[in-house]
Amino acid sequence: MMTNLFSVFDPSTTIFNLSLNWLSSLLGLLFIPYLFWMTPSRYNIVWNNITNYLHKEFKILLNNNKNTFIFISLFIFILFNNFLGLFSYIFTSSSHLTFTLTLSLPLWLGFMIYGWFNKTNHMFAHLVPLGTPAVLMPFMVCIETISNIIRPGTLAIRLTANMIAGHLLLTLLGNNGPALPTMLVSILLIVQILLLMLESAVAIIQSYVFTVLMTLYSSEV
C-alpha cells in the first residue's frame, strides 16, 4: 500500500534482497544493437538525422568545437530514461536526485577543475561582468560565485521536478478512476492520453534543456 503520494517513486523491486530498480536506466542499451548493427532502415536514418542536428547545434554553442560526442550521449541517455519512465511498472530513475545529480555534478566539477587550473585568468574574468562599477565588484563576485556553485543543483532539481510533476498528475487522476461513473471514465481516459502526450513532449524538452545548459556551462570554460 502507498503510505503517501510520493511513494510511487520509491525503489521497491527486490530479488534476493538486491535492488533491481536502477537497472531500468540501462534498458536504453537494448535499443543499440537494432539501430547500429542491422541493415540501415528508416529508423536508422531518422536517428542519424537527429544526432547530426544535435551535433550542429552543440558545435555552435561550443564555439565551433567539434567535440560534441559526450553531450549527444548525455542527451540520448536522459531521453531514454525519461521515456522508459512513462511505461507502467518501469522505475523512473530520472525522477530521483540521486540520478540527476550523478549526471550534473561530475560534469560541472570537471569543467570547473579544468577551467581553474588551465584558464585561471579567464575564470576570474567571468566573476566580474564587463562595465561593473568598482563599488559593486565585491557584490558581483559573491553573486557570480553563488550562481556558479548552485548550477549542478538547479540542473538536477529542474529535471527531477519536471518528471515528478507529470507522473504525480497521472497517478492522481488514475487513482480516481474506479470511483467515477462510466461516463466520466471515458473523459478521464481522454485526459490521461493527452497528459501522456504532454509528458512525452516534456521528456524530450527536459533532456534537451539539461544538455544545452551543460553545453553552455562548458563553453564558458
Side-chain angles (χ1 to χ4, degrees):
M1 268 186 81
M2 290 199 321
T3 54
N4 57 59
L5 193 58
F6 288 92
S7 62
V8 293
F9 300 100
D10 290 344
S12 57
T13 306
T14 54
I15 297 177
F16 302 115
N17 292 325
L18 297 173
S19 177
L20 301 179
N21 294 280
W22 297 102
L23 287 178
S24 65
S25 59
L26 302 176
L27 288 178
L29 297 175
L30 298 177
F31 296 96
I32 291 177
Y34 176 77
L35 290 172
F36 289 94
W37 300 114
M38 292 187 70
T39 306
S41 60
R42 291 180 181 178
Y43 301 109
N44 188 262
I45 294 167
V46 169
W47 191 250
N48 285 336
N49 288 335
I50 291 171
T51 52
N52 286 331
Y53 174 79
L54 289 172
H55 171 69
K56 291 175 184 176
E57 285 288 317
F58 296 155
K59 188 173 74 170
I60 294 169
L61 294 173
L62 291 169
N63 301 320
N64 290 322
N65 188 346
K66 294 182 180 179
N67 297 323
T68 60
F69 179 74
I70 185 172
F71 300 108
I72 294 173
S73 303
L74 182 66
F75 172 81
I76 293 167
F77 184 60
I78 297 172
L79 183 68
F80 271 127
N81 281 281
N82 288 351
F83 264 114
L84 288 170
L86 295 175
F87 291 95
S88 301
Y89 304 108
I90 294 183
F91 179 68
T92 312
S93 54
S94 55
S95 64
H96 288 72
L97 278 173
T98 310
F99 177 85
T100 52
L101 267 176
T102 305
L103 292 177
S104 62
L105 191 58
L107 280 173
W108 173 85
L109 199 59
F111 296 145
M112 287 298 104
I113 292 171
Y114 173 82
W116 284 106
F117 274 94
N118 295 292
K119 300 181 180 181
T120 311
N121 291 334
H122 180 73
M123 297 299 289
F124 273 119
H126 267 292
L127 296 177
V128 183
L130 222 61
T132 306
V135 183
L136 296 177
M137 280 184 182
F139 300 103
M140 290 306 298
V141 170
C142 292
I143 292 167
E144 289 294 323
T145 304
I146 293 168
S147 68
N148 204 355
I149 290 170
I150 65 172
R151 278 177 176 180
T154 54
L155 269 179
I157 291 168
R158 181 187 291 109
L159 179 58
T160 302
N162 279 283
M163 296 311 296
I164 283 178
H167 282 68
L168 279 180
L169 194 55
L170 287 168
T171 305
L172 277 170
L173 290 173
N175 288 341
N176 291 326
L180 293 175
T182 310
M183 284 292 292
L184 290 178
V185 169
S186 58
I187 298 171
L188 179 64
L189 283 173
I190 295 169
V191 173
Q192 288 279 64
I193 291 168
L194 291 173
L195 278 174
L196 200 60
M197 291 170 63
L198 177 64
E199 275 300 289
S200 301
V202 168
I204 299 170
I205 291 166
Q206 288 307 314
S207 55
Y208 182 74
V209 167
F210 188 98
T211 314
V212 165
L213 287 174
M214 190 58 72
T215 310
L216 289 171
Y217 296 159
S218 69
S219 67
E220 291 182 2
V221 178

